[in-house]
Amino acid sequence: MAGRLLLVCRLLVRDLRRRHTETVLLLAAITAATATLTLGLTLNEIAGRPYQQTRAATAGPDVIVTPMATGQAALDELASLTTAAGVTDHSGPFPIAYLTMTAGGRSAHAVVEGRDAAPVSIDRPAVTDGTWVRPGGVVVERAFADALGIRIGDMVGVGGHPLRVIGTAVTAARATYPYAGWHYPNDILVERGGLVWVDRGDIATLAGSQPLSYTLNLKLADPAASTAYVVGPHLATWQQIGDVNGRLYRDARVVLLVGSWLLSGLALAGVAGIVAGRIIGQRRRVGLLKAVGAGPAMIAAVHLAEYLVIGLAAAATGLAAGWFAAPVLIRPSAGLIGSVNAQPPALRTVITVTALALTIAVAATLVPVVRAAATSTVHALADAATPPRRRRWRIWLSRRLPTALLIGVRINARRPRRARLVTVNTLITTTALVATLMGNTQVVRFDLGYTELANPRVERGEKALLVLTVALCILALINAVVSTWTAVLDARQPLAVARTLGATPGQAGVGLALAQLLPAIPGVTAGIPAGIGLYLAVGNGQIQYPSGAWLVATALAVLLAVAALTAIPALAAARRPVADTLRSAPT
C-alpha cells in the first residue's frame, strides 16, 4: 500500500512539474468559479459590517418608534414607551416633517428631523463634513447629499424655505438613502427619500401648515430582544434597518450567485477539455502501467489524484481571491462609515466552495479517467482513437460534402464528447452575454417624488455584472483555446492521412477549424432563448427586450470569436510536414 501511494505521489509531482501551462489553466478555470461563489455567499455578511460600525460610532438605538398620529396625540402615544419593561434609555421625541427639498434645480422627498445642538445619549449622528445643526442651516445625510450633488455652503430649499447646507452626517437610526422612510402624514405607504436634520426651532416654520410627526429612540437592556417588537409602518428595529440597507447589495448578490453557477459550467467544460487533452497524451503511459501490473483502480487513482489536488488548490485560491477582492468590489454606502474590511470566510462558505471545486474536478475527469482505466493494454499502447460508428446514410452523405467540411465532420465523429464540450461552452457564453444585454436594455426609473436620480442598488448590480461578464469572457476564451489545442493534438495523424490522400494544407486547416465551429452553432442558437429565460427568472418589474438585430449581432460575435480563435492554430497545425507527423505516430 505504501509503495502504491509513493508511486501515485511521484507521478503526481512529475505531471505537475512537466505540464505547467495545463496546470495553470485548470487552476484558473476552477478558481474563477470558486472566487465568484465566495463573493456571492459572503456579500450579505460583508455588506452588513459598515452598518454595525456606524451603529457603534453613533450610539444607534435598538428600537425607533414613529407613530402614525401627529401633534400632541403622537407625544401622548410615545410617553409611556420610555418607561416600558426592558428600556434602559431613550432620546427624543424629535419632531419630524415630510417635506420637499430642492437642490440644483431638482426636487426630492426629504425626511426633515428637528434636533438640538447639544448631543444626546442615543442616536448621535456623526458629522462627516462641516458642523452640526444650528438655526438657519441644514445637515444632509451624506448618501443623500452625494446623490443630489450637494456640497457644504450650497443653498437648498426645504419646504419652500431657503437654507444653507452646513454639514453632512451619517446615522444608524434610519436606513440610508434612498430608504429613509418618506411618506405623507397619516399614510402608511412609504416612498423613497433622503434624510436631513435642522434646528428644532426651525422645523415648525419649515413644515408650515403640515402637522408635525415625532420619532423616539429607545435603548434596550438586551439589544437582541428588539426582535420581539412588531415591526410595522410606525416602528423599526436596528435589525430591520440593517436588512433595509442590505437591499443595496441584493442585485449584486443575485448576479454573483447566478454567475458563479454559469462559471461553474464553463469551468466544468474547460476542465473536461483539458483533461481530455492530457488523457490523449497519457494513453501510452496508461498502457505501460497496465503492462507492469497496475490495475484499473491504480490507473484511476494516478489520474484523479492530480485533479483533486488542483481542485483543492483552486478552492483555496478562490477563497483567498474572493476575500481580498470583496473590499475592492463592494463599496459601502456613503450613508455609512467604516469599511468592508476583509475577514476570514465563514466555515459554511469554506465547505461550500471546496465542495464546488472538488465537484468540478471530479465531474470533469471521471468519465475520461474511467475510460482510460478500462482501456485494454494493447489499445492503450497503440495510442489509437476509437473508430467512429459507421452508418450507410452517413457514408452516403459524407461522400457529397466538400473536402474541408468532410474533414471537420469526421474529426467530430471521432471525438463526439469534445464536440459536445464546445457546444456547452458556447451555450453558456451566449446565455451570459444575452442576459447581460437584457439587463442593459432595461430602463430603470428611480425617482424620489419629482427627480430621477441614480439608483445605488442598480449601480452595484451593474458593477457586479461587469466583473462577471469579464470573467465569463476570459474563461470562455481559455476554453476555446484549450478545445482547439486538444483537437490539434488529437487530429495530427488523421490530418496527415487526409493530406496524403490529396487534401491541401488549407483544406485540412479549414476542416479542423470547422470541427470547432460546427458544434458551436447549436450552442449559440440555444443560448439566445436561454439568456432571455435566465434574465426573466431572476429579474423583476417590467421587462424590456433588446432588438432582434442586437441578439443576432451577439450570436454572430460569439461565432466569429470561435472561428478566429481556432483558425490560426488549425492552419498552423495543418502546415506541419506530413512525413514528420506520420514518423511520430505509434507503430
Side-chain angles (χ1 to χ4, degrees):
M1 184 65 183
R4 293 182 179 182
L5 182 60
L6 180 61
L7 176 62
V8 170
C9 292
R10 285 182 174 178
L11 291 175
L12 167 65
V13 173
R14 177 177 175 274
D15 283 343
L16 293 178
R17 285 180 176 178
R18 292 187 60 188
R19 302 174 182 271
H20 300 292
T21 303
E22 298 150 13
T23 301
V24 170
L25 290 176
L26 284 167
L27 190 65
I30 304 177
T31 297
T34 54
T36 307
L37 181 60
T38 300
L39 278 173
L41 292 175
T42 60
L43 183 56
N44 278 355
E45 177 189 354
I46 291 175
R49 293 172 190 163
Y51 176 71
Q52 297 290 349
Q53 295 167 3
T54 303
R55 186 167 179 266
T58 62
D62 297 325
V63 178
I64 304 92
V65 185
T66 306
M68 297 299 298
T70 57
Q72 189 60 43
L75 294 173
D76 294 340
E77 183 177 338
L78 295 173
S80 60
L81 297 178
T82 60
T83 57
V87 176
T88 59
D89 197 1
H90 73 279
S91 65
F94 302 113
I96 293 285
Y98 302 98
L99 305 174
T100 300
M101 185 173 76
T102 303
R106 295 183 293 182
S107 299
H109 291 150
V111 178
V112 183
E113 182 174 338
R115 297 295 293 262
D116 300 311
V120 293
S121 58
I122 307 297
D123 182 27
R124 297 188 298 270
V127 177
T128 57
D129 194 11
T131 61
W132 186 229
V133 295
R134 65 172 182 263
V138 59
V139 178
V140 186
E141 191 256 342
R142 185 168 61 175
F144 191 31
D146 284 357
L148 286 170
I150 295 173
R151 299 293 180 264
I152 303 299
D154 290 349
M155 293 298 298
V156 299
V158 179
H161 296 80
L163 294 175
R164 185 172 299 279
V165 178
I166 60 173
T168 59
V170 299
T171 181
R174 281 184 180 267
T176 185
Y177 160 85
Y179 304 117
W182 192 96
H183 63 87
Y184 291 100
N186 302 315
D187 189 350
I188 63 173
L189 182 62
V190 178
E191 300 185 24
R192 301 184 185 100
L195 174 65
V196 301
W197 297 271
V198 298
D199 187 84
R200 185 192 289 262
D202 291 341
I203 192 168
T205 303
L206 299 175
S209 60
Q210 182 184 121
L212 294 176
S213 301
Y214 288 88
T215 183
L216 177 68
N217 301 314
L218 302 178
K219 193 70 174 178
L220 305 182
D222 179 12
S226 59
T227 55
Y229 284 75
V230 179
V231 175
H234 68 287
L235 186 145
T237 63
W238 67 272
Q239 294 97 332
Q240 183 203 20
I241 294 174
D243 291 341
V244 172
N245 285 334
R247 293 178 188 173
L248 297 175
Y249 304 91
R250 190 166 298 167
D251 289 350
R253 185 172 187 269
V254 171
V255 167
L256 291 171
L257 288 178
V258 173
S260 68
W261 298 118
L262 291 175
L263 283 170
S264 297
L266 278 179
L268 187 62
V271 172
I274 296 173
V275 171
R278 299 186 79 162
I279 294 297
I280 290 171
Q282 295 174 342
R283 274 198 298 251
R284 301 200 71 187
R285 189 180 74 174
V286 171
L288 292 173
L289 289 173
K290 284 178 171 288
V292 297
M298 183 65 179
I299 300 296
V302 167
H303 287 85
L304 280 176
E306 178 181 354
Y307 303 114
L308 290 177
V309 168
I310 294 175
L312 288 173
T317 306
L319 285 166
W323 177 26
F324 287 111
V328 178
L329 298 178
I330 304 170
R331 181 176 59 87
S333 169
L336 301 172
I337 57 178
S339 61
V340 287
N341 53 310
Q343 294 183 8
L347 179 60
R348 63 177 180 275
T349 300
V350 175
I351 294 175
T352 303
V353 171
T354 303
L356 174 65
L358 294 179
T359 300
I360 293 174
V362 172
T365 60
L366 192 59
V367 173
V369 166
V370 170
R371 285 182 177 177
T375 302
S376 67
T377 304
V378 174
H379 185 74
L381 290 174
D383 196 12
T386 302
R389 296 180 181 179
R390 301 185 181 276
R391 297 289 187 272
R392 282 189 176 183
W393 67 270
R394 291 180 181 174
I395 298 174
W396 177 86
L397 180 62
S398 64
R399 292 172 61 184
R400 287 157 177 78
L401 292 177
T403 302
L405 183 58
L406 173 61
I407 292 174
V409 170
R410 287 183 60 82
I411 289 175
N412 284 336
R414 294 178 72 249
R415 298 295 180 191
R417 184 168 176 264
R418 184 177 59 232
R420 288 193 290 268
L421 291 177
V422 175
T423 303
V424 171
N425 186 45
T426 52
L427 169 63
I428 296 176
T429 304
T430 307
T431 298
L433 292 177
V434 171
T436 302
L437 180 62
M438 285 282 293
N440 293 334
T441 304
Q442 309 309 308
V443 177
V444 181
R445 299 192 178 278
F446 188 78
D447 65 272
L448 271 75
Y450 315 96
T451 302
E452 290 190 5
L453 300 174
N455 188 338
R457 176 173 170 177
V458 173
E459 287 179 336
R460 285 165 172 79
E462 290 177 345
K463 186 175 182 180
L465 184 61
L466 176 61
V467 172
L468 176 64
T469 303
V470 172
L472 281 166
C473 290
I474 292 176
L475 193 53
L477 175 67
I478 293 175
N479 286 358
V481 172
V482 167
S483 178
T484 304
W485 163 75
T486 306
V488 168
L489 180 67
D490 188 43
R492 289 176 300 179
Q493 281 78 37
L495 287 180
V497 172
R499 288 176 60 189
T500 60
L501 296 177
T504 65
Q507 289 173 332
V510 172
L512 187 55
L514 286 174
Q516 303 299 300
L517 190 59
L518 289 175
I521 295 175
V524 170
T525 304
I528 293 177
I532 296 174
L534 176 63
Y535 188 85
L536 293 177
V538 300
N540 51 53
Q542 187 177 2
I543 303 296
Q544 295 180 342
Y545 295 88
S547 64
W550 277 106
L551 293 174
V552 173
T554 302
L556 291 177
V558 174
L559 291 177
L560 288 175
V562 172
L565 290 171
T566 58
I568 296 176
L571 292 174
R575 294 186 180 278
R576 183 182 181 186
V578 175
D580 293 345
T581 302
L582 294 178
R583 190 180 299 115
S584 63
T587 57

